[in-house]
Amino acid sequence: MDNNNLAQITFGGGCFWCVESCFNMLKGVQSAISGYSGGHKDNPTYEEVCTGETGHAEVVQITYDPAIISYEQLMDVFFFLHDPTQLNRQGNDIGTQYRSVIYYKDDAEKAKAEEAIEMSKQSGRWQGTYVTELTKFDKFWPAEQYHQGYYNENPTQPYCSAVVGPKIQKFKKHFGELGMLND
């Protein structure tokens, strides 16, 4: 990858353990880092974010090469991995920290995000009203080190084996067939 031409995107689609591991498998993604955005407290901890009182969402910040994978393809993966019609939750994960949110950096990126939402709606993948927030990016706080690559390090942990693992298998099947995964 050409490090001079890398771009970043930050979004939240529920538990970051579910999202981060999938994005790290994609061709063109240099890194997907679990963290927090959208809140009012500097350098929040996982425990603080879990209270719902800091205003942060669990997010993944993705650094990628647009010459290999496009913003639109990343958005397709984003909408594949979570249900954008569930307000402040994904499955049994409930709270504002699990909200569906896209953080944009400028008006052009906001327009692309709006277009991605419309494309996802038109796909018919999800039924119901989309609740995905579009929010101006401010800061990203990396989550504690033990959250990075959590699924890969803890695949037999009960939440990982019951929730994350099946989601990853579905992701690998779909995006593997499209040739989008690293070898």
Side-chain angles (χ1 to χ4, degrees):
M1 275 185 255
D2 180 356
N3 287 339
N4 294 325
N5 294 318
L6 296 179
Q8 282 189 325
I9 183 170
T10 305
F11 44 61
C15 173
F16 47 38
W17 295 344
C18 297
V19 179
E20 175 241 327
S21 57
C22 292
F23 279 98
N24 273 318
M25 293 181 211
L26 292 169
K27 290 178 184 174
V29 171
Q30 183 185 58
S31 67
I33 299 171
S34 293
Y36 317 108
S37 283
H40 54 78
K41 182 182 187 308
D42 286 350
N43 212 15
T45 66
Y46 180 69
E47 290 74 21
E48 291 169 332
V49 171
C50 284
T51 68
E53 294 176 11
T54 67
H56 291 88
E58 286 192 17
V59 299
V60 176
Q61 186 168 75
I62 298 162
T63 302
Y64 68 100
D65 185 340
I68 300 172
I69 189 166
S70 69
Y71 181 91
E72 292 77 13
Q73 287 172 309
L74 291 169
M75 283 288 105
D76 187 46
V77 173
F78 172 67
F79 286 114
F80 181 89
L81 290 175
H82 83 292
D83 182 346
T85 68
Q86 292 189 349
L87 182 63
N88 297 329
R89 73 179 297 160
Q90 285 298 303
N92 291 328
D93 293 330
I94 300 170
T96 57
Q97 68 271 28
Y98 300 115
R99 66 189 177 271
S100 176
V101 57
I102 301 168
Y103 292 96
Y104 62 89
K105 293 189 175 68
D106 54 34
D107 288 342
E109 199 169 273
K110 181 180 182 185
K112 286 170 47 173
E114 289 169 339
E115 186 176 317
I117 291 169
E118 285 307 311
M119 296 273 299
S120 182
K121 287 179 183 177
Q122 291 172 17
S123 77
R125 185 180 293 148
W126 302 104
Q127 302 302 311
T129 302
Y130 277 54
V131 295
T132 303
E133 293 177 13
L134 284 176
T135 303
K136 178 87 168 144
F137 179 81
D138 183 27
K139 290 184 180 173
F140 170 77
W141 304 99
E144 295 81 351
Q145 188 56 43
Y146 74 91
H147 289 295
Q148 310 306 329
Y150 190 86
Y151 176 78
N152 293 339
E153 298 296 322
N154 303 280
T156 60
Q157 188 261 14
Y159 181 86
C160 287
S161 60
V163 177
V164 184
K167 187 178 281 197
I168 288 174
Q169 293 311 311
K170 183 177 157 186
F171 163 83
K172 287 170 93 171
K173 180 178 182 339
H174 181 77
F175 290 97
E177 289 172 359
L178 295 174
M180 292 177 64
L181 302 182
N182 290 314
D183 298 325

